[in-house]
Amino acid sequence: INYETILKLEKDIPAYNIQNYKYRFAGQKDLPKMLAIAQNCSYKLSHFYLDHRFDNFAVDRMYSKWINTAFNEENKFIVIEQEEEIAGFFIYKLEPLHKANWIYAVINEKFQNKGIGFKLFNSALDACCEDNVKTIKSSLAVKNTKSLKLHLKLGFLPTDSFYTLHKWYKE
């Protein structure tokens, strides 16, 4: 059995001023590039990569499959670009009562450690405001300190923590 500690965070945004970050919503033509980015840039400290029973190539494919499935559901995909390439993308879902659930963010390996994450998160805030969202929920693995720092910098507050337990079965 493997486990991961998850931290839930929340942010109320009734007084947030839109910053007008440059972003767009993804279209079908973006999906192959987003799948490639997810396959190459997924969080390498996730429990899937750290579990020696998983082949890293299989985990890369799993993240790509998950993105493909999310694209075909009622999620919104924000894309930001640099040098005419997708530098990163962000997935969120609108929920009832003016709420949003932030699901996933990833930065293209070529653009990592260049401040793109901050721009991407702010773009997601702008998009949520445009959607009239008043509260954003998010969660992350506690060991994902880069994401935690971004959340805290943007005013998210921890609301809860829990363990996710995983038991792998062979067919």
Side-chain angles (χ1 to χ4, degrees):
I1 293 180
N2 201 344
Y3 74 93
E4 189 166 49
T5 306
I6 305 297
L7 182 64
K8 285 183 167 183
L9 301 112
E10 199 167 288
K11 177 178 178 64
D12 290 328
I13 55 172
Y16 178 78
N17 293 321
I18 292 176
Q19 302 296 308
N20 293 314
Y21 280 89
K22 188 174 179 181
Y23 68 90
R24 65 178 175 80
F25 288 99
Q28 188 69 38
K29 67 176 178 47
D30 298 310
L31 187 56
K33 183 62 177 172
M34 291 188 306
L35 292 173
I37 291 169
Q39 186 168 334
N40 295 324
C41 304
S42 294
Y43 182 57
K44 300 301 181 194
L45 292 178
S46 79
H47 58 279
F48 298 113
Y49 286 110
L50 296 177
D51 189 328
H52 69 282
R53 293 168 287 191
F54 281 109
D55 174 66
N56 283 353
F57 182 71
V59 175
D60 290 341
R61 285 194 331 259
M62 179 193 65
Y63 276 107
S64 292
K65 185 175 181 176
W66 182 77
I67 296 300
N68 194 43
T69 301
F71 192 80
N72 293 310
E73 294 175 350
E74 292 185 25
N75 296 304
K76 293 198 172 203
F77 279 66
I78 294 172
V79 170
I80 60 171
E81 296 173 314
Q82 293 281 117
E83 303 169 16
E84 299 181 18
E85 290 184 56
I86 294 177
F89 66 92
F90 197 104
I91 307 171
Y92 72 96
K93 184 173 185 160
L94 296 176
E95 296 183 347
L97 304 173
H98 303 286
K99 293 184 179 186
N101 186 21
W102 282 8
I103 299 171
Y104 183 76
V106 65
I107 305 299
N108 184 330
E109 192 172 41
K110 178 179 176 180
F111 299 103
Q112 289 180 0
N113 301 312
K114 296 182 179 181
I116 299 294
F118 186 73
K119 291 177 185 174
L120 185 61
F121 273 57
N122 274 295
S123 295
L125 275 172
D126 282 359
C128 285
C129 285
E130 291 289 335
D131 285 329
N132 201 29
V133 168
K134 302 297 180 205
T135 303
I136 299 171
K137 298 184 301 179
S138 188
S139 61
L140 53 91
V142 169
K143 60 188 162 210
N144 188 346
T145 55
K146 286 184 179 183
S147 182
L148 179 58
K149 287 176 186 176
L150 273 173
H151 278 83
L152 295 175
K153 190 173 187 176
L154 293 172
F156 280 80
L157 297 173
T159 59
D160 198 6
S161 65
F162 59 93
Y163 294 111
T164 300
L165 301 173
H166 302 275
K167 183 171 174 94
W168 315 126
Y169 296 94
K170 290 190 177 195
E171 293 183 20

